[in-house]
Amino acid sequence: MKIISLSIRSQLVITFIIIFSFIVFIVTYFNFSSSIEQKKDSFLQNSLIEANLLAEFSVTPLIFNDIEGAEETLNKLNKDHNILRVIIFDNDKNIFAQYNPSKKQSEINPEFKEYYFDNMNKDFLNFGTLKITIALKHQGNIYGTLYIEKSTKIITTILKKVFNDIIFFTIILLIITYGVSILLSDYLLKPILHLAKTSEEIAKTRNYKIRVSHDSKNEIGSLYKAYNSLLMDMEKSTVNLENQVSYRTNELNKKRELLEKSLKELKEAQEQLIQSEKMSALGNLVSGIAHEVNTPLGNAITSSSIIKKESNYLLQDLKNGTLKRSVMESRLKVLNDSSSLLIKSLHYSSELIKSFKQISVDQVTNDVREFNIKNYIEEIFLTNNNKLKTIPVEIIIKNEDDNLLIKTSPGVIAQIFNNLIQNSIIHGFSDFRTNAKINVMITIEEDMIKIVYEDNGKGIDLSIKEKIFEPFITTKRNAGGTGLGLNIVYNLIYQKLKGSLTFKSEENISTQFIIKIPRTYSYEEKI
Ligand SMILES: Nc1ncnc2c1ncn2[C@@H]1O[C@H](COP(=O)(O)OP(=O)(O)OP(=O)(O)O)[C@@H](O)[C@H]1O
Ligand SMILES: [Mg+2]
């Protein structure tokens, strides 16, 4: 557990206890160690005085070899329980007299060491046995040695008691410190906790009108004041923000409405454009019909006038009776040839008008029906023949399966191809008059058909290559181009036929449009 993750209260309590324990330890350590030294010192001093006095009393019996007197003197020591053993040695180191209540038998070498603590155990607060050796002197002569063994138990007992007292008071002090630090931290933290609680409430309710109150003029008082002024600022800015948000929302709503309106208008405009595109295609169609039908009709008129002229000649000769067989035969042959030509021309005209009529009806209605895609594309090219002839352009239409039927809107197909053909003529072949070709390849790809429309014209201008399907992109702005043709083609393929459109172009080599549409249009909405 990291100390940082503890509450401030616990951190304060722990800090108090650590600091207090440290102080108590230092103070107790120095006090106790000086008290040990004091006690030991005073015990030693007293023992030395005692030993010197005993030496004074022991020297006379030694001089006069009064063993009984010496033992009597020594036996008086039995009042002092700390004295373990006292021995009087003569100068030959023989025991002269001794006091040995515990009957200890250990060997003693009465070497002259004056005094020392013989601590064999090295226990806590155990100083062992104090051993004192004093020379027994009288008028400058040494008659022997006094040896005393004294127990230090009395100091150990006192010091142990002191130690226990210290431990007891330290524990009591620690408990008091703990209690005081809790009370103190509660007192110090109360205003901060109040602040935290208020912040929590504000965060939950977003009510910036709440204020905190505190009477003191100390740092907490200043903190509360600053907190209140912060709340005041927040209250103001929230109101501002709310106003701004509602203002912006209003603005956005207005803009959205405006956008929706513009979008609707744009859609309508797009529909109108498609319509006007259709109308202009119909106009083209009509001029195409006029142009195409012109030749067979001209032939028909010529043939019929020849028939009329030749039959008049025949009638005249018959009336005058000048009709020769050979003349009649040659005139009848002319009549026959001319009427054949007449029939052929009228037939061709009727076919042309039929297909023009179908295409124009398709373009107006946009209805979905099943038709032969190759034949239909050929008919569309036919309706554009008058323009294609002026360049002239060779048309090659290849089909994987000549009988391939598709079910979609032929009118939309016509609109798409009219635009592509018109673009090839106006843009692809504008500066290009020889060997112009348009290739159309129709292949089947599962339930889709792929139509590749390709001209070998000058290719799409590099400057518009990236945005060729966007509206109003044209390189012929000043020459009647609006830049809507390919955008309309794109929308017709994606939106009406549910297909896709891509293109490839190489400068002065070719422009290719790749159209993929479903073989069977099975969408719910009508085209
Ligand atoms: N087959 C093509 N060969 C070369 N450039 C082409 C071809 N088709 C289209 N482009 C280029 O793409 C541009 C955009 O064609 P789009 O049909 O959209 O507009 P437009 O033909 O200029 O005008 P509009 O069709 O509205 O009369 C053209 O201006 C032309 O530069
Ligand atoms: Mg165009």
Side-chain angles (χ1 to χ4, degrees), residues 277 419-420 422-424 426-428 453 455 458-461 464 468 470 473-476 480-487 511 513:
E277 193 39 37
N419 265 299
L420 297 182
Q422 199 186 8
N423 277 351
S424 293
I426 297 175
H427 307 294
Y453 174 98
D455 70 41
K458 66 174 180 187
I460 307 277
D461 202 283
I464 55 161
I468 182 173
E470 287 174 23
I473 299 297
T474 177
T475 46
K476 289 247 189 294
T482 54
L484 286 168
L486 284 181
N487 180 256
T511 302
F513 291 96

PDB file of all heavy atoms in Angstrom, residues 277 419-420 422-424 426-428 453 455 458-461 464 468 470 473-476 480-487 511 513, ligand 1:
ATOM      1  N   GLU A 277     -31.960  18.044 -70.144  1.00  0.00           N
ATOM      2  CA  GLU A 277     -30.997  17.216 -70.866  1.00  0.00           C
ATOM      3  C   GLU A 277     -31.772  16.284 -71.794  1.00  0.00           C
ATOM      4  O   GLU A 277     -31.436  16.098 -72.953  1.00  0.00           O
ATOM      5  CB  GLU A 277     -30.278  16.471 -69.776  1.00  0.00           C
ATOM      6  CG  GLU A 277     -29.014  15.698 -69.925  1.00  0.00           C
ATOM      7  CD  GLU A 277     -27.915  16.212 -70.799  1.00  0.00           C
ATOM      8  OE1 GLU A 277     -27.641  17.417 -70.881  1.00  0.00           O
ATOM      9  OE2 GLU A 277     -27.348  15.344 -71.431  1.00  0.00           O
ATOM     10  N   ASN A 419     -24.911  11.193 -74.168  1.00  0.00           N
ATOM     11  CA  ASN A 419     -23.900  12.068 -73.567  1.00  0.00           C
ATOM     12  C   ASN A 419     -22.485  11.644 -73.944  1.00  0.00           C
ATOM     13  O   ASN A 419     -21.645  12.472 -74.265  1.00  0.00           O
ATOM     14  CB  ASN A 419     -24.027  12.042 -72.043  1.00  0.00           C
ATOM     15  CG  ASN A 419     -24.878  13.197 -71.567  1.00  0.00           C
ATOM     16  OD1 ASN A 419     -24.517  14.356 -71.784  1.00  0.00           O
ATOM     17  ND2 ASN A 419     -26.003  12.888 -70.948  1.00  0.00           N
ATOM     18  N   LEU A 420     -22.229  10.295 -73.834  1.00  0.00           N
ATOM     19  CA  LEU A 420     -20.880   9.807 -74.134  1.00  0.00           C
ATOM     20  C   LEU A 420     -20.518  10.063 -75.592  1.00  0.00           C
ATOM     21  O   LEU A 420     -19.409  10.493 -75.911  1.00  0.00           O
ATOM     22  CB  LEU A 420     -20.765   8.308 -73.798  1.00  0.00           C
ATOM     23  CG  LEU A 420     -20.950   7.928 -72.323  1.00  0.00           C
ATOM     24  CD1 LEU A 420     -20.760   6.420 -72.129  1.00  0.00           C
ATOM     25  CD2 LEU A 420     -19.972   8.679 -71.431  1.00  0.00           C
ATOM     26  N   GLN A 422     -21.846  12.336 -77.601  1.00  0.00           N
ATOM     27  CA  GLN A 422     -21.702  13.780 -77.812  1.00  0.00           C
ATOM     28  C   GLN A 422     -20.321  14.247 -77.331  1.00  0.00           C
ATOM     29  O   GLN A 422     -19.645  15.030 -78.005  1.00  0.00           O
ATOM     30  CB  GLN A 422     -22.799  14.497 -77.018  1.00  0.00           C
ATOM     31  CG  GLN A 422     -23.027  15.905 -77.504  1.00  0.00           C
ATOM     32  CD  GLN A 422     -24.022  16.616 -76.592  1.00  0.00           C
ATOM     33  OE1 GLN A 422     -24.393  16.091 -75.549  1.00  0.00           O
ATOM     34  NE2 GLN A 422     -24.427  17.791 -76.995  1.00  0.00           N
ATOM     35  N   ASN A 423     -19.872  13.724 -76.148  1.00  0.00           N
ATOM     36  CA  ASN A 423     -18.562  14.100 -75.608  1.00  0.00           C
ATOM     37  C   ASN A 423     -17.435  13.664 -76.537  1.00  0.00           C
ATOM     38  O   ASN A 423     -16.478  14.398 -76.752  1.00  0.00           O
ATOM     39  CB  ASN A 423     -18.347  13.476 -74.228  1.00  0.00           C
ATOM     40  CG  ASN A 423     -18.990  14.315 -73.141  1.00  0.00           C
ATOM     41  OD1 ASN A 423     -19.446  15.428 -73.401  1.00  0.00           O
ATOM     42  ND2 ASN A 423     -19.037  13.790 -71.933  1.00  0.00           N
ATOM     43  N   SER A 424     -17.554  12.422 -77.083  1.00  0.00           N
ATOM     44  CA  SER A 424     -16.497  11.946 -77.988  1.00  0.00           C
ATOM     45  C   SER A 424     -16.383  12.872 -79.193  1.00  0.00           C
ATOM     46  O   SER A 424     -15.278  13.215 -79.617  1.00  0.00           O
ATOM     47  CB  SER A 424     -16.809  10.522 -78.465  1.00  0.00           C
ATOM     48  OG  SER A 424     -16.737   9.636 -77.383  1.00  0.00           O
ATOM     49  N   ILE A 426     -17.538  16.132 -79.476  1.00  0.00           N
ATOM     50  CA  ILE A 426     -17.167  17.523 -79.151  1.00  0.00           C
ATOM     51  C   ILE A 426     -15.756  17.621 -78.575  1.00  0.00           C
ATOM     52  O   ILE A 426     -14.996  18.510 -78.934  1.00  0.00           O
ATOM     53  CB  ILE A 426     -18.184  18.148 -78.165  1.00  0.00           C
ATOM     54  CG1 ILE A 426     -19.554  18.202 -78.821  1.00  0.00           C
ATOM     55  CG2 ILE A 426     -17.756  19.532 -77.740  1.00  0.00           C
ATOM     56  CD1 ILE A 426     -20.656  18.680 -77.891  1.00  0.00           C
ATOM     57  N   HIS A 427     -15.411  16.690 -77.642  1.00  0.00           N
ATOM     58  CA  HIS A 427     -14.115  16.822 -76.963  1.00  0.00           C
ATOM     59  C   HIS A 427     -13.060  15.891 -77.541  1.00  0.00           C
ATOM     60  O   HIS A 427     -11.961  16.336 -77.880  1.00  0.00           O
ATOM     61  CB  HIS A 427     -14.268  16.524 -75.465  1.00  0.00           C
ATOM     62  CG  HIS A 427     -15.337  17.336 -74.808  1.00  0.00           C
ATOM     63  ND1 HIS A 427     -15.245  18.694 -74.676  1.00  0.00           N
ATOM     64  CD2 HIS A 427     -16.537  16.984 -74.259  1.00  0.00           C
ATOM     65  CE1 HIS A 427     -16.333  19.145 -74.067  1.00  0.00           C
ATOM     66  NE2 HIS A 427     -17.142  18.120 -73.812  1.00  0.00           N
ATOM     67  N   GLY A 428     -13.406  14.571 -77.644  1.00  0.00           N
ATOM     68  CA  GLY A 428     -12.408  13.585 -78.064  1.00  0.00           C
ATOM     69  C   GLY A 428     -11.883  13.848 -79.468  1.00  0.00           C
ATOM     70  O   GLY A 428     -10.677  13.860 -79.698  1.00  0.00           O
ATOM     71  N   TYR A 453     -17.109   1.656 -73.011  1.00  0.00           N
ATOM     72  CA  TYR A 453     -17.264   2.602 -74.109  1.00  0.00           C
ATOM     73  C   TYR A 453     -15.914   3.278 -74.282  1.00  0.00           C
ATOM     74  O   TYR A 453     -15.361   3.832 -73.336  1.00  0.00           O
ATOM     75  CB  TYR A 453     -18.339   3.641 -73.734  1.00  0.00           C
ATOM     76  CG  TYR A 453     -18.472   4.756 -74.741  1.00  0.00           C
ATOM     77  CD1 TYR A 453     -19.466   4.736 -75.716  1.00  0.00           C
ATOM     78  CD2 TYR A 453     -17.606   5.840 -74.715  1.00  0.00           C
ATOM     79  CE1 TYR A 453     -19.575   5.758 -76.638  1.00  0.00           C
ATOM     80  CE2 TYR A 453     -17.700   6.861 -75.635  1.00  0.00           C
ATOM     81  CZ  TYR A 453     -18.704   6.823 -76.601  1.00  0.00           C
ATOM     82  OH  TYR A 453     -18.808   7.842 -77.511  1.00  0.00           O
ATOM     83  N   ASP A 455     -13.343   5.755 -76.904  1.00  0.00           N
ATOM     84  CA  ASP A 455     -13.011   6.453 -78.158  1.00  0.00           C
ATOM     85  C   ASP A 455     -11.509   6.619 -78.229  1.00  0.00           C
ATOM     86  O   ASP A 455     -10.828   6.593 -77.207  1.00  0.00           O
ATOM     87  CB  ASP A 455     -13.772   7.790 -78.277  1.00  0.00           C
ATOM     88  CG  ASP A 455     -13.288   8.840 -77.307  1.00  0.00           C
ATOM     89  OD1 ASP A 455     -12.067   8.958 -77.111  1.00  0.00           O
ATOM     90  OD2 ASP A 455     -14.147   9.554 -76.716  1.00  0.00           O
ATOM     91  N   LYS A 458      -8.549  12.467 -78.049  1.00  0.00           N
ATOM     92  CA  LYS A 458      -7.348  13.067 -77.448  1.00  0.00           C
ATOM     93  C   LYS A 458      -7.227  12.800 -75.942  1.00  0.00           C
ATOM     94  O   LYS A 458      -6.215  13.154 -75.329  1.00  0.00           O
ATOM     95  CB  LYS A 458      -7.319  14.567 -77.721  1.00  0.00           C
ATOM     96  CG  LYS A 458      -8.420  15.344 -77.048  1.00  0.00           C
ATOM     97  CD  LYS A 458      -8.188  16.827 -77.268  1.00  0.00           C
ATOM     98  CE  LYS A 458      -9.286  17.613 -76.590  1.00  0.00           C
ATOM     99  NZ  LYS A 458      -9.212  19.028 -76.890  1.00  0.00           N
ATOM    100  N   GLY A 459      -8.224  12.164 -75.334  1.00  0.00           N
ATOM    101  CA  GLY A 459      -8.124  11.833 -73.897  1.00  0.00           C
ATOM    102  C   GLY A 459      -8.618  12.976 -73.015  1.00  0.00           C
ATOM    103  O   GLY A 459      -8.727  14.116 -73.452  1.00  0.00           O
ATOM    104  N   ILE A 460      -8.877  12.648 -71.753  1.00  0.00           N
ATOM    105  CA  ILE A 460      -9.391  13.649 -70.801  1.00  0.00           C
ATOM    106  C   ILE A 460      -8.260  14.594 -70.412  1.00  0.00           C
ATOM    107  O   ILE A 460      -7.148  14.142 -70.108  1.00  0.00           O
ATOM    108  CB  ILE A 460      -9.937  12.970 -69.518  1.00  0.00           C
ATOM    109  CG1 ILE A 460     -10.953  11.886 -69.848  1.00  0.00           C
ATOM    110  CG2 ILE A 460     -10.471  14.000 -68.516  1.00  0.00           C
ATOM    111  CD1 ILE A 460     -12.347  12.316 -70.084  1.00  0.00           C
ATOM    112  N   ASP A 461      -8.565  15.892 -70.427  1.00  0.00           N
ATOM    113  CA  ASP A 461      -7.573  16.898 -70.045  1.00  0.00           C
ATOM    114  C   ASP A 461      -7.068  16.638 -68.624  1.00  0.00           C
ATOM    115  O   ASP A 461      -7.863  16.399 -67.709  1.00  0.00           O
ATOM    116  CB  ASP A 461      -8.263  18.272 -70.103  1.00  0.00           C
ATOM    117  CG  ASP A 461      -7.256  19.371 -70.264  1.00  0.00           C
ATOM    118  OD1 ASP A 461      -6.610  19.709 -69.242  1.00  0.00           O
ATOM    119  OD2 ASP A 461      -7.119  19.872 -71.385  1.00  0.00           O
ATOM    120  N   ILE A 464      -8.525  18.282 -65.340  1.00  0.00           N
ATOM    121  CA  ILE A 464      -9.837  17.970 -64.752  1.00  0.00           C
ATOM    122  C   ILE A 464      -9.995  16.481 -64.437  1.00  0.00           C
ATOM    123  O   ILE A 464     -11.057  16.046 -64.016  1.00  0.00           O
ATOM    124  CB  ILE A 464     -11.001  18.421 -65.684  1.00  0.00           C
ATOM    125  CG1 ILE A 464     -10.834  17.790 -67.070  1.00  0.00           C
ATOM    126  CG2 ILE A 464     -11.082  19.924 -65.774  1.00  0.00           C
ATOM    127  CD1 ILE A 464     -12.107  17.809 -67.862  1.00  0.00           C
ATOM    128  N   ILE A 468     -13.703  14.774 -62.867  1.00  0.00           N
ATOM    129  CA  ILE A 468     -14.462  14.735 -64.123  1.00  0.00           C
ATOM    130  C   ILE A 468     -15.976  14.504 -63.918  1.00  0.00           C
ATOM    131  O   ILE A 468     -16.795  14.998 -64.678  1.00  0.00           O
ATOM    132  CB  ILE A 468     -13.838  13.674 -65.052  1.00  0.00           C
ATOM    133  CG1 ILE A 468     -14.562  13.643 -66.381  1.00  0.00           C
ATOM    134  CG2 ILE A 468     -13.780  12.334 -64.445  1.00  0.00           C
ATOM    135  CD1 ILE A 468     -13.892  12.747 -67.384  1.00  0.00           C
ATOM    136  N   GLU A 470     -17.673  15.552 -61.295  1.00  0.00           N
ATOM    137  CA  GLU A 470     -18.294  16.625 -60.496  1.00  0.00           C
ATOM    138  C   GLU A 470     -19.056  17.566 -61.429  1.00  0.00           C
ATOM    139  O   GLU A 470     -18.692  17.713 -62.601  1.00  0.00           O
ATOM    140  CB  GLU A 470     -17.217  17.415 -59.744  1.00  0.00           C
ATOM    141  CG  GLU A 470     -16.644  16.617 -58.591  1.00  0.00           C
ATOM    142  CD  GLU A 470     -15.484  17.332 -57.924  1.00  0.00           C
ATOM    143  OE1 GLU A 470     -15.393  18.571 -58.043  1.00  0.00           O
ATOM    144  OE2 GLU A 470     -14.671  16.632 -57.304  1.00  0.00           O
ATOM    145  N   ILE A 473     -17.804  20.891 -64.352  1.00  0.00           N
ATOM    146  CA  ILE A 473     -16.399  20.740 -64.740  1.00  0.00           C
ATOM    147  C   ILE A 473     -16.387  20.583 -66.259  1.00  0.00           C
ATOM    148  O   ILE A 473     -16.903  19.608 -66.801  1.00  0.00           O
ATOM    149  CB  ILE A 473     -15.755  19.504 -64.054  1.00  0.00           C
ATOM    150  CG1 ILE A 473     -15.788  19.637 -62.537  1.00  0.00           C
ATOM    151  CG2 ILE A 473     -14.334  19.254 -64.555  1.00  0.00           C
ATOM    152  CD1 ILE A 473     -15.003  20.803 -61.970  1.00  0.00           C
ATOM    153  N   THR A 474     -15.825  21.595 -66.935  1.00  0.00           N
ATOM    154  CA  THR A 474     -15.806  21.550 -68.400  1.00  0.00           C
ATOM    155  C   THR A 474     -14.555  22.246 -68.931  1.00  0.00           C
ATOM    156  O   THR A 474     -14.016  23.133 -68.274  1.00  0.00           O
ATOM    157  CB  THR A 474     -17.068  22.226 -68.990  1.00  0.00           C
ATOM    158  OG1 THR A 474     -16.967  22.220 -70.399  1.00  0.00           O
ATOM    159  CG2 THR A 474     -17.257  23.643 -68.519  1.00  0.00           C
ATOM    160  N   THR A 475     -14.095  21.815 -70.080  1.00  0.00           N
ATOM    161  CA  THR A 475     -12.986  22.532 -70.726  1.00  0.00           C
ATOM    162  C   THR A 475     -13.535  23.374 -71.880  1.00  0.00           C
ATOM    163  O   THR A 475     -12.803  23.961 -72.653  1.00  0.00           O
ATOM    164  CB  THR A 475     -11.950  21.526 -71.281  1.00  0.00           C
ATOM    165  OG1 THR A 475     -12.649  20.506 -71.971  1.00  0.00           O
ATOM    166  CG2 THR A 475     -11.107  20.929 -70.191  1.00  0.00           C
ATOM    167  N   LYS A 476     -14.864  23.387 -71.990  1.00  0.00           N
ATOM    168  CA  LYS A 476     -15.474  24.147 -73.110  1.00  0.00           C
ATOM    169  C   LYS A 476     -16.473  25.165 -72.568  1.00  0.00           C
ATOM    170  O   LYS A 476     -17.566  25.303 -73.107  1.00  0.00           O
ATOM    171  CB  LYS A 476     -16.191  23.175 -74.062  1.00  0.00           C
ATOM    172  CG  LYS A 476     -15.284  22.296 -74.895  1.00  0.00           C
ATOM    173  CD  LYS A 476     -15.406  22.658 -76.354  1.00  0.00           C
ATOM    174  CE  LYS A 476     -14.712  21.735 -77.310  1.00  0.00           C
ATOM    175  NZ  LYS A 476     -13.354  21.586 -77.361  1.00  0.00           N
ATOM    176  N   GLY A 480     -20.061  26.679 -75.095  1.00  0.00           N
ATOM    177  CA  GLY A 480     -21.368  26.026 -74.909  1.00  0.00           C
ATOM    178  C   GLY A 480     -21.369  24.868 -73.928  1.00  0.00           C
ATOM    179  O   GLY A 480     -22.426  24.319 -73.641  1.00  0.00           O
ATOM    180  N   GLY A 481     -20.200  24.486 -73.373  1.00  0.00           N
ATOM    181  CA  GLY A 481     -20.184  23.358 -72.421  1.00  0.00           C
ATOM    182  C   GLY A 481     -20.645  23.828 -71.041  1.00  0.00           C
ATOM    183  O   GLY A 481     -20.264  24.913 -70.588  1.00  0.00           O
ATOM    184  N   THR A 482     -21.486  23.034 -70.389  1.00  0.00           N
ATOM    185  CA  THR A 482     -21.914  23.410 -69.029  1.00  0.00           C
ATOM    186  C   THR A 482     -21.194  22.553 -67.978  1.00  0.00           C
ATOM    187  O   THR A 482     -21.186  22.871 -66.803  1.00  0.00           O
ATOM    188  CB  THR A 482     -23.428  23.210 -68.834  1.00  0.00           C
ATOM    189  OG1 THR A 482     -23.735  21.864 -69.188  1.00  0.00           O
ATOM    190  CG2 THR A 482     -24.247  24.148 -69.682  1.00  0.00           C
ATOM    191  N   GLY A 483     -20.616  21.446 -68.411  1.00  0.00           N
ATOM    192  CA  GLY A 483     -19.929  20.566 -67.458  1.00  0.00           C
ATOM    193  C   GLY A 483     -20.893  19.723 -66.657  1.00  0.00           C
ATOM    194  O   GLY A 483     -20.572  19.283 -65.554  1.00  0.00           O
ATOM    195  N   LEU A 484     -22.089  19.486 -67.200  1.00  0.00           N
ATOM    196  CA  LEU A 484     -23.069  18.686 -66.456  1.00  0.00           C
ATOM    197  C   LEU A 484     -23.265  17.288 -67.027  1.00  0.00           C
ATOM    198  O   LEU A 484     -23.780  16.404 -66.361  1.00  0.00           O
ATOM    199  CB  LEU A 484     -24.415  19.404 -66.430  1.00  0.00           C
ATOM    200  CG  LEU A 484     -24.450  20.605 -65.480  1.00  0.00           C
ATOM    201  CD1 LEU A 484     -25.695  21.428 -65.720  1.00  0.00           C
ATOM    202  CD2 LEU A 484     -24.397  20.142 -64.035  1.00  0.00           C
ATOM    203  N   GLY A 485     -22.819  17.117 -68.292  1.00  0.00           N
ATOM    204  CA  GLY A 485     -23.067  15.856 -68.998  1.00  0.00           C
ATOM    205  C   GLY A 485     -22.624  14.633 -68.196  1.00  0.00           C
ATOM    206  O   GLY A 485     -23.434  13.755 -67.877  1.00  0.00           O
ATOM    207  N   LEU A 486     -21.324  14.586 -67.827  1.00  0.00           N
ATOM    208  CA  LEU A 486     -20.815  13.402 -67.139  1.00  0.00           C
ATOM    209  C   LEU A 486     -21.376  13.287 -65.729  1.00  0.00           C
ATOM    210  O   LEU A 486     -21.533  12.183 -65.207  1.00  0.00           O
ATOM    211  CB  LEU A 486     -19.280  13.418 -67.107  1.00  0.00           C
ATOM    212  CG  LEU A 486     -18.620  13.047 -68.431  1.00  0.00           C
ATOM    213  CD1 LEU A 486     -17.102  13.067 -68.296  1.00  0.00           C
ATOM    214  CD2 LEU A 486     -19.071  11.675 -68.917  1.00  0.00           C
ATOM    215  N   ASN A 487     -21.694  14.436 -65.093  1.00  0.00           N
ATOM    216  CA  ASN A 487     -22.306  14.384 -63.760  1.00  0.00           C
ATOM    217  C   ASN A 487     -23.676  13.723 -63.842  1.00  0.00           C
ATOM    218  O   ASN A 487     -24.038  12.888 -63.008  1.00  0.00           O
ATOM    219  CB  ASN A 487     -22.399  15.796 -63.184  1.00  0.00           C
ATOM    220  CG  ASN A 487     -23.023  15.798 -61.809  1.00  0.00           C
ATOM    221  OD1 ASN A 487     -24.173  16.161 -61.661  1.00  0.00           O
ATOM    222  ND2 ASN A 487     -22.270  15.332 -60.815  1.00  0.00           N
ATOM    223  N   THR A 511     -10.017   7.358 -74.473  1.00  0.00           N
ATOM    224  CA  THR A 511     -10.805   7.635 -73.268  1.00  0.00           C
ATOM    225  C   THR A 511     -11.757   6.456 -73.126  1.00  0.00           C
ATOM    226  O   THR A 511     -12.411   6.077 -74.095  1.00  0.00           O
ATOM    227  CB  THR A 511     -11.620   8.935 -73.425  1.00  0.00           C
ATOM    228  OG1 THR A 511     -10.719   9.980 -73.687  1.00  0.00           O
ATOM    229  CG2 THR A 511     -12.424   9.245 -72.181  1.00  0.00           C
ATOM    230  N   PHE A 513     -14.813   4.634 -70.727  1.00  0.00           N
ATOM    231  CA  PHE A 513     -15.756   4.670 -69.605  1.00  0.00           C
ATOM    232  C   PHE A 513     -16.231   3.243 -69.356  1.00  0.00           C
ATOM    233  O   PHE A 513     -16.648   2.569 -70.310  1.00  0.00           O
ATOM    234  CB  PHE A 513     -16.943   5.592 -69.910  1.00  0.00           C
ATOM    235  CG  PHE A 513     -16.535   7.036 -69.958  1.00  0.00           C
ATOM    236  CD1 PHE A 513     -16.239   7.664 -71.165  1.00  0.00           C
ATOM    237  CD2 PHE A 513     -16.434   7.780 -68.781  1.00  0.00           C
ATOM    238  CE1 PHE A 513     -15.840   8.985 -71.209  1.00  0.00           C
ATOM    239  CE2 PHE A 513     -16.035   9.104 -68.819  1.00  0.00           C
ATOM    240  CZ  PHE A 513     -15.740   9.712 -70.034  1.00  0.00           C
TER     241      PHE A 513
HETATM  242  N1  LIG B   1     -14.553  11.491 -74.686  1.00  0.00           N
HETATM  243  C1  LIG B   1     -13.902  12.540 -74.164  1.00  0.00           C
HETATM  244  N2  LIG B   1     -12.672  12.881 -74.635  1.00  0.00           N
HETATM  245  C2  LIG B   1     -12.002  13.928 -74.112  1.00  0.00           C
HETATM  246  N3  LIG B   1     -12.459  14.702 -73.108  1.00  0.00           N
HETATM  247  C3  LIG B   1     -13.677  14.406 -72.638  1.00  0.00           C
HETATM  248  C4  LIG B   1     -14.449  13.310 -73.103  1.00  0.00           C
HETATM  249  N4  LIG B   1     -15.599  13.272 -72.381  1.00  0.00           N
HETATM  250  C5  LIG B   1     -15.558  14.294 -71.511  1.00  0.00           C
HETATM  251  N5  LIG B   1     -14.395  14.988 -71.632  1.00  0.00           N
HETATM  252  C6  LIG B   1     -13.968  16.127 -70.837  1.00  0.00           C
HETATM  253  O1  LIG B   1     -14.733  16.156 -69.679  1.00  0.00           O
HETATM  254  C7  LIG B   1     -15.362  17.422 -69.499  1.00  0.00           C
HETATM  255  C8  LIG B   1     -16.683  17.245 -68.810  1.00  0.00           C
HETATM  256  O2  LIG B   1     -17.623  16.614 -69.667  1.00  0.00           O
HETATM  257  P1  LIG B   1     -19.146  16.898 -69.472  1.00  0.00           P
HETATM  258  O3  LIG B   1     -19.889  16.071 -70.436  1.00  0.00           O
HETATM  259  O4  LIG B   1     -19.458  16.711 -68.048  1.00  0.00           O
HETATM  260  O5  LIG B   1     -19.265  18.436 -69.778  1.00  0.00           O
HETATM  261  P2  LIG B   1     -19.215  19.171 -71.177  1.00  0.00           P
HETATM  262  O6  LIG B   1     -19.304  18.176 -72.253  1.00  0.00           O
HETATM  263  O7  LIG B   1     -18.050  20.068 -71.203  1.00  0.00           O
HETATM  264  O8  LIG B   1     -20.520  20.042 -71.088  1.00  0.00           O
HETATM  265  P3  LIG B   1     -22.030  19.503 -71.278  1.00  0.00           P
HETATM  266  O9  LIG B   1     -21.957  18.025 -71.420  1.00  0.00           O
HETATM  267  O10 LIG B   1     -22.730  19.913 -70.031  1.00  0.00           O
HETATM  268  O11 LIG B   1     -22.538  20.170 -72.485  1.00  0.00           O
HETATM  269  C9  LIG B   1     -15.417  17.987 -70.858  1.00  0.00           C
HETATM  270  O12 LIG B   1     -15.442  19.424 -70.844  1.00  0.00           O
HETATM  271  C10 LIG B   1     -14.150  17.456 -71.515  1.00  0.00           C
HETATM  272  O13 LIG B   1     -13.042  18.265 -71.213  1.00  0.00           O
END
